[in-house]
Amino acid sequence: MKKLIAMTLIAAMTMSMYGCSKSSDKAAESSQSTGETAAQEDAEEAEAPSAGEAVNLTVAYADAEDSVFGKGANAFAEKLEEVSQGTMTCTMYPNGTLGSITEVAAMIQQGTCDVSPIVTSSLVDFCPELGVFDLPFLFKDYDEARTTIEGETGDHLAEQMAASNMHVGSWMTMGFRETTSSKPIESVADFRGLKIRTQSNEVHQAIFNTLGASATVINFSELYTAMEQKTVDAQENPYVNISSNAYYEVQDYLVETNHVFQLAALLISDATYNKLTDEQKGWVDEAASYAADVEWEATQTDNEAAKQACIDAGMTLVELDHDELLQATQSVYDTYNSQYGSLLEMMGK
């Protein structure tokens, strides 16, 4: 159903920036075109809007409206409408309405979607260097992570994203990834033999395999059932995902590993951004910066609330020694030093 909706909306989205100024014949022609290639061609042919012309941006994301990404996206839309005095608005598509994260990322690149917050781990195909943020225990806290991503490192990575026709409006986050388990984990040694579900991410898998666990890739939609049926013993996610998906119903231990700090980018399609006037670009950048402030604060607040909700639901909280975990996973850095060494040096690591 989602793919049907997405295909129906693609042609309309590419024209949304420019109001209803095209003729009905052109609209009919656009609606009959098939696939994203035809939609992109229409977008490229569109003229840049004049300073006073109404502009509507399509904003898509995979999560619910009350998620941290939903709060950030809504903050972007509200601020953009405010600073543009109503001349720039947004149409929101939450809950993966327009497709998967990978599909929406491709639409951003092709110009058939205007704006989307996407985690960096889902963008490595467009910018391989973003994989550096999957390394273990890279940041100690939110402040260190934000200072780094909004400095020289973030500027460098934004330039790389621009080469893939993606404008980084601002950097966002989902916070630390944590571990849950049906078996007790009281020390680093307890990871040995643990069957843990991870994303399809080779660095994340390397982290847990290095700890002696057995990393297993399972689709997110199938994870709850896999834990319920004991297909896996454990999994890892930010607190907000652990709570919202009720993993406390099938897992007993909440282990604060803080093993990966999840960053994200609020992406704006270059096809969209480059057609705006300088004044409109300024409004978009201002709205993106404001959205980042809202989203970072929401992430910290919501993760803490989700952590407490899991404890209240009966999970046992375990706080492991992060320095000991870092030492135990140091070989992961050795493995990926040739790939990410220069970026780590840029970050002062």
Side-chain angles (χ1 to χ4, degrees):
M1 181 64 179
K2 289 180 179 177
K3 290 186 180 295
L4 177 60
I5 295 172
M7 292 303 298
T8 304
L9 290 172
I10 284 173
M13 285 190 300
T14 58
M15 303 302 294
S16 65
M17 278 185 56
Y18 311 106
C20 302
S21 60
K22 298 296 181 182
S23 68
S24 59
D25 288 343
K26 180 65 178 179
E29 179 184 338
S30 176
S31 67
Q32 292 168 1
S33 65
T34 58
E36 294 177 1
T37 301
Q40 184 179 6
E41 288 174 355
D42 284 345
E44 290 172 349
E45 291 171 1
E47 297 178 356
S50 63
E53 185 177 346
V55 173
N56 181 264
L57 303 181
T58 296
V59 182
Y61 52 97
D63 304 291
E65 290 182 80
D66 61 353
S67 67
V68 292
F69 279 176
K71 291 173 182 178
N74 285 322
F76 172 81
E78 290 166 6
K79 178 59 71 171
L80 184 61
E81 185 168 0
E82 175 192 328
V83 297
S84 70
Q85 298 184 0
T87 62
M88 297 188 75
T89 57
C90 297
T91 300
M92 315 299 283
Y93 294 95
N95 297 305
T97 307
L98 297 187
S100 68
I101 294 172
T102 302
E103 290 167 337
V104 171
M107 292 166 70
I108 290 285
Q109 184 185 46
Q110 295 161 0
T112 54
C113 180
D114 300 318
V115 182
S116 182
I118 299 178
V119 292
T120 55
S121 58
S122 295
L123 296 171
V124 291
D125 286 345
F126 304 98
C127 176
E129 286 183 295
L130 286 172
V132 70
F133 299 122
D134 292 313
L135 290 173
F137 310 102
L138 194 59
F139 303 116
K140 290 187 176 181
D141 54 37
Y142 281 81
D143 288 341
E144 182 186 5
R146 191 167 188 186
T147 298
T148 299
I149 195 60
E150 292 186 348
E152 180 184 6
T153 302
D155 291 343
H156 168 77
L157 293 169
E159 289 178 5
Q160 303 307 305
M161 292 298 292
S164 293
N165 301 320
M166 295 175 171
H167 174 75
V168 177
S170 60
W171 296 101
M172 292 182 168
T173 183
M174 284 193 73
F176 288 106
R177 298 185 73 87
E178 315 292 358
T179 303
T180 69
S181 175
S182 60
K183 297 180 178 181
I185 298 178
E186 297 177 352
S187 69
V188 173
D190 290 332
F191 281 98
R192 294 186 191 128
L194 193 74
K195 193 169 185 180
I196 183 169
R197 181 269 178 184
T198 69
Q199 294 176 303
S200 180
N201 181 300
E202 65 176 31
V203 182
H204 290 192
Q205 293 169 51
I207 292 170
F208 288 99
N209 287 337
T210 299
L211 289 172
S214 176
T216 303
V217 177
I218 295 174
N219 288 337
F220 186 76
S221 61
E222 301 169 2
L223 178 54
Y224 184 98
T225 301
M227 292 187 292
E228 186 176 37
Q229 296 177 348
K230 308 299 181 184
T231 304
V232 291
D233 306 310
Q235 66 84 46
E236 52 86 47
N237 258 295
Y239 283 131
V240 288
N241 285 354
I242 295 168
S243 177
S244 64
N245 288 282
Y247 293 161
Y248 47 77
E249 294 177 350
V250 289
Q251 300 270 273
D252 296 323
Y253 298 94
L254 185 66
V255 189
E256 191 163 86
T257 46
N258 285 7
H259 54 279
V260 169
F261 191 89
Q262 189 86 72
L263 288 165
L266 181 62
L267 294 177
I268 302 157
S269 174
D270 266 3
T272 299
Y273 192 77
N274 291 337
K275 288 185 176 75
L276 301 175
T277 66
D278 288 343
E279 184 177 34
Q280 288 168 332
K281 289 178 182 178
W283 292 336
V284 167
D285 290 341
E286 182 178 348
S289 178
Y290 173 76
D293 289 340
V294 170
E295 198 272 346
W296 277 80
E297 182 176 353
T299 297
Q300 289 183 267
T301 301
D302 289 6
N303 270 316
E304 280 302 310
K307 172 183 175 180
Q308 189 59 50
C310 289
I311 295 170
D312 293 343
M315 296 189 83
T316 299
L317 177 66
V318 180
E319 297 178 328
L320 295 182
D321 186 326
H322 297 153
D323 289 335
E324 185 181 358
L325 283 166
L326 172 58
Q327 184 176 358
T329 56
Q330 187 60 49
S331 63
V332 177
Y333 280 84
D334 298 335
T335 300
Y336 291 95
N337 184 65
S338 61
Q339 191 169 346
Y340 302 123
S342 59
L343 269 176
L344 291 170
E345 185 177 347
M346 187 183 295
M347 287 186 270
K349 300 293 182 180

